Amino acid sequence: RTTGLVAAAANFPLWEVDVDLRSAVAEALQKRVILIEDADAALLAELQPGGAAAPPTEGTPPLQHTAFLLVLGGGVGSSLSIDGNIHHGATGLIEAGHMIVHPQGKECACGQYGCLEMYASGTAIAKRAEELLMGKGINEELDAKSVAERARSASDATAAKIMGEASAALATAIIAICRLVDPHVIILAGGVATK
């Protein structure tokens, strides 16, 4: 955020670290560039009047209005705001996608085991569908949207199980977020949350 350098890229293992991404994008666009994570941008938008995380405008506003946003897409991103300001933590590593929801769970690209991203992301849901459904003669390519649609049909118990596992992991993470930061609101965004 401050240097423009890629410090880590767990979901992009081929990316090199210490690459000056901001300068490369600025040069390609011939524009001044400010880098911001997608979750932070989404939460800043939701903090505006009329947004899902907008602080109350009537009466006495609560002290330290706190909002948390989870982006459920190809991965799981997150953002935290306190009094309308994005809070990044001491080293900028507030990342709910890498919150451990199953201590002996699946290995994540970040090196930990049982990260939320390994259960509730679109990529994880599709991968779990491959594991469980492909052996049952289903040869279509399955993504999180199609698994969710199958889960809604009364006849696909396996898809319902997959979505249940994702929902349980997400619920565990949300409870932990509530206990740690006590937000006024938690917003679920991204393709997995909206489909």
Side-chain angles (χ1 to χ4, degrees):
R1 195 173 57 258
T2 56
T3 66
L5 300 178
V6 175
N11 292 332
F12 300 98
L14 298 179
W15 277 31
E16 294 181 29
V17 296
D18 297 327
V19 171
D20 189 346
L21 181 61
R22 181 173 49 209
S23 293
V25 174
E27 185 178 323
L29 297 175
Q30 294 297 299
K31 300 280 183 191
R32 180 173 173 258
V33 171
I34 297 171
L35 299 177
I36 183 170
E37 289 187 56
D38 58 346
D40 290 344
L43 185 52
L44 286 173
E46 293 293 354
L47 287 165
Q48 302 309 305
T57 56
E58 295 178 14
T60 305
L63 296 175
Q64 288 196 321
H65 178 75
T66 304
F68 202 94
L69 179 133
L70 284 166
V71 179
L72 307 171
V76 176
S78 63
S79 184
L80 168 65
S81 78
I82 300 171
D83 284 340
N85 298 305
I86 300 298
H87 181 68
H88 295 104
T91 60
L93 291 177
I94 293 177
E95 204 47 75
H98 297 287
M99 178 184 304
I100 296 172
V101 294
H102 292 292
Q104 276 74 46
K106 299 173 184 176
E107 185 175 7
C108 182
C110 76
Q112 299 181 139
Y113 289 85
C115 291
L116 175 61
E117 193 164 286
M118 298 306 298
Y119 299 90
S121 68
T123 304
I125 291 168
K127 187 173 183 181
R128 185 73 169 134
E130 270 183 36
E131 292 170 5
L132 296 180
L133 294 175
M134 290 300 193
K136 294 187 173 191
I138 298 169
N139 295 321
E140 66 187 84
E141 188 170 323
L142 297 170
D143 59 13
K145 180 180 179 182
S146 62
V147 174
E149 288 168 355
R150 286 176 164 279
R152 284 191 278 275
S153 75
S155 61
D156 199 331
T158 304
K161 175 183 176 177
I162 294 165
M163 294 309 294
E165 291 169 355
S167 298
L170 182 59
T172 299
I174 288 173
I175 290 167
I177 290 163
C178 288
R179 297 292 68 83
L180 289 172
V181 298
D182 190 24
H184 291 90
V185 62
I186 293 178
I187 301 162
L188 300 179
V192 174
T194 58
K195 299 223 172 10

